[in-house]
Amino acid sequence: AQATATAINLLRRTSGSYTSLGTHATAIANNDVLKLKMNGSSLEVLLNDVSKVTATDTQNQSTTNHGFRLDGGTTPRIDTF
């Protein structure tokens, strides 16, 4: 998942290239909480416990590295990862 000042993007990175699995235009503010839920091939990104992006991607089932990418005008902070 990628958070910018204007959007939440759900991305898959393969061999250095990004593929968009979904996006939601929204302003990200200080103290917002972004969560990524993964269950088998189902992916969901939540902002402040509200679902914003959902996708299905079978590559997730065999991938061993997952994470967040934070960009934007506010200072990002990762907690409880």
Side-chain angles (χ1 to χ4, degrees), residues 1-47:
Q2 175 192 39
T4 70
T6 59
I8 298 168
N9 301 299
L10 185 56
L11 305 168
R12 177 182 61 211
R13 184 175 182 209
T14 306
S15 301
S17 297
Y18 290 96
T19 301
S20 176
L21 301 177
T23 189
H24 177 76
T26 188
I28 304 295
N30 286 328
N31 298 315
D32 278 349
V33 176
L34 188 67
K35 294 179 183 178
L36 175 61
K37 290 185 177 182
M38 299 178 289
N39 184 11
S41 62
S42 297
L43 307 168
E44 181 179 22
V45 181
L46 298 97
L47 178 64

